[in-house]
Amino acid sequence: MLSEFTLIQNYFVRDQNQTSDPRIALGIGDDCALLQPTPGSQLAISSDMLVSGRHFFPDVDPSTLGHKCLAVNLSDLAAMGAHPLAFTLAIALPDADPDWLAAFSQGMFALADQHRCHLIGGDTTKGPLTVSITIFGEIPPNAALRRDAAKPGDDIWISGSLGDARLALAAYRNELSLAPAQHAQAAQRMHLPTPRIALGMALRGVAHAALDISDGLSGDLGHILSASKVGAQLNIDALPVGEILQTQSLARRREFCFNGGDDYELCFTAPLEQRDAVIAAGIASQTPVTRVGKIVPPWTISPHRTSPSNRRRISCWRIPLIFYRWDLAAASPPSCQAPPVRYLRG
């Protein structure tokens, strides 16, 4: 059995030449790490905990788990428009398996190196497999993309595509059958999400509000609406469908795009006059972006009628003082000036 200090030294302490960064005044090895953020910047801080059997399968490949544990935290920074700085890792292990630890740390550090995000400390203990990461980023003052900043008239945008991670989960659960190659491809979206760091930073000064889609668009967009005290109209058939999910029925595409989780794409709002700037941000970050709806004023309790015969109201949920409606429609929502358009189809 490896001691705690041997485990940390063997698998989580990097060559100092790899972690030299003027923003890291002191890394692993002392009672605390010391950060020296860029002068004038604000710190963005987020924590996520992933538990075996609840957030990932117990037999998951440790390399992909290392990637995902860091990716979901980086995705939070992306949603705020923050630049990654450093992270801490607290991990409970049932056993200190050297091969497992080597693969886990390799997957985690490969993603960390892509974003110059440095491991600066943490903790280890024996227990059910649990991984908790706290991540630090930096951002110029007043530049953060907050959930409470959406405004009526804003377009609603989605990065990348939705639904393939939920499709892979359904196949794992034997809810449906996929060809092995299709399942493997969809599972990449579930196990190896791509944090949209470059897009988030490019949207500073362009977008009003943003968050990352972790629990499904239907719930996560509601957080923006609640925080901003606004409503939304969404063309569900304009949502960007994952490549493998495109082979499924219309009903399944709608359900998994709208309610599926583990996408870790960005949902953001931006004023109509910033459409060209949003497209430019997508191009600059090499990220597909899709316009899917519109922010509207908060709706009253009075019933809302849909007049066009080709439109039907599917549901209306109440969140504090706000009503909002999701439309299944081939045409654009009445308040949109043009049909939602997908840009940079990937």
Side-chain angles (χ1 to χ4, degrees):
M1 179 70 177
L2 294 174
S3 71
E4 179 181 13
F5 296 106
T6 301
L7 186 155
I8 293 170
Q9 184 64 42
N10 288 355
Y11 302 106
F12 298 113
V13 174
R14 311 292 302 281
D15 184 330
Q16 290 304 309
N17 291 329
Q18 291 180 288
T19 57
S20 59
D21 186 322
R23 302 173 302 170
I24 312 299
L26 182 63
I28 294 174
D30 219 307
D31 290 303
C32 293
L34 300 176
L35 299 179
Q36 185 68 48
T38 303
S41 66
Q42 293 181 324
L43 279 178
I45 306 170
S46 180
S47 294
D48 272 296
M49 179 183 296
L50 278 70
V51 179
S52 177
R54 180 170 181 84
H55 301 106
F56 57 87
F57 295 115
D59 61 351
V60 67
D61 175 78
S63 178
T64 61
L65 179 61
H67 173 105
K68 184 170 184 176
C69 289
L70 182 58
V72 301
N73 284 269
L74 285 166
S75 186
D76 287 334
L77 294 186
M80 298 291 288
H83 186 278
L85 172 58
F87 67 101
T88 62
L89 168 70
I91 184 168
L93 298 163
D95 297 293
D97 182 297
D99 292 337
W100 192 96
L101 284 162
F104 176 86
S105 61
Q106 181 181 30
M108 182 184 68
F109 282 130
L111 182 62
D113 290 345
Q114 290 180 31
H115 298 284
R116 292 193 66 216
C117 192
H118 311 291
L119 178 61
I120 57 171
D123 195 15
T124 65
T125 190
K126 184 177 177 64
L129 181 56
T130 304
V131 183
S132 180
I133 286 178
T134 296
I135 199 163
F136 304 85
E138 52 183 21
I139 190 168
N142 304 313
L145 305 176
R146 296 168 43 151
R147 296 180 179 187
D148 63 357
K151 301 182 184 302
D154 281 2
D155 292 322
I156 302 171
W157 298 80
I158 303 291
S159 71
S161 64
L162 305 177
D164 271 352
R166 177 63 180 89
L167 183 66
L169 179 62
Y172 282 125
R173 290 175 170 173
N174 295 315
E175 298 171 4
L176 51 82
S177 295
L178 292 176
Q182 287 186 315
H183 191 192
Q185 185 173 341
Q188 293 294 300
R189 293 302 311 274
M190 179 179 176
H191 298 309
L192 296 169
T194 301
R196 302 299 188 182
I197 293 291
L199 176 63
M201 293 174 63
L203 289 172
R204 295 176 189 167
V206 174
H208 280 156
L211 51 60
D212 71 328
I213 303 171
S214 56
D215 298 322
L217 178 62
S218 59
D220 287 333
L221 177 56
H223 297 318
I224 288 179
L225 305 185
S226 179
S228 298
K229 296 181 173 56
V230 293
Q233 288 181 324
L234 190 77
N235 184 344
I236 200 169
D237 288 332
L239 297 179
V241 181
E243 183 177 350
I244 306 303
L245 184 57
Q246 290 176 18
T247 66
Q248 302 294 304
S249 68
L250 176 62
R252 183 165 288 158
R253 294 198 303 269
R254 287 171 169 172
E255 178 188 354
F256 286 2
C257 278
F258 190 49
N259 295 317
D262 264 8
D263 294 302
Y264 295 101
E265 296 291 353
L266 298 187
C267 173
F268 58 96
T269 78
L272 183 148
E273 61 269 20
Q274 293 283 19
R275 285 182 181 175
D276 288 344
V278 171
I279 297 168
I283 293 172
S285 62
Q286 299 183 342
T287 307
V289 291
T290 304
R291 179 163 53 91
V292 299
K294 191 180 187 81
I295 296 294
V296 297
W299 290 16
T300 64
I301 298 176
S302 60
H304 178 83
R305 296 181 179 181
T306 56
S307 54
S309 60
N310 68 333
R311 305 180 62 79
R312 65 189 182 91
R313 182 178 180 180
I314 60 167
S315 57
C316 184
W317 293 282
R318 184 174 183 178
I319 51 183
L321 304 178
I322 304 159
F323 278 70
Y324 58 105
R325 187 194 67 195
W326 310 110
D327 286 314
L328 292 177
S332 61
S335 57
C336 288
Q337 296 185 5
V341 176
R342 165 177 274 194
Y343 300 99
L344 306 177
R345 185 182 293 270

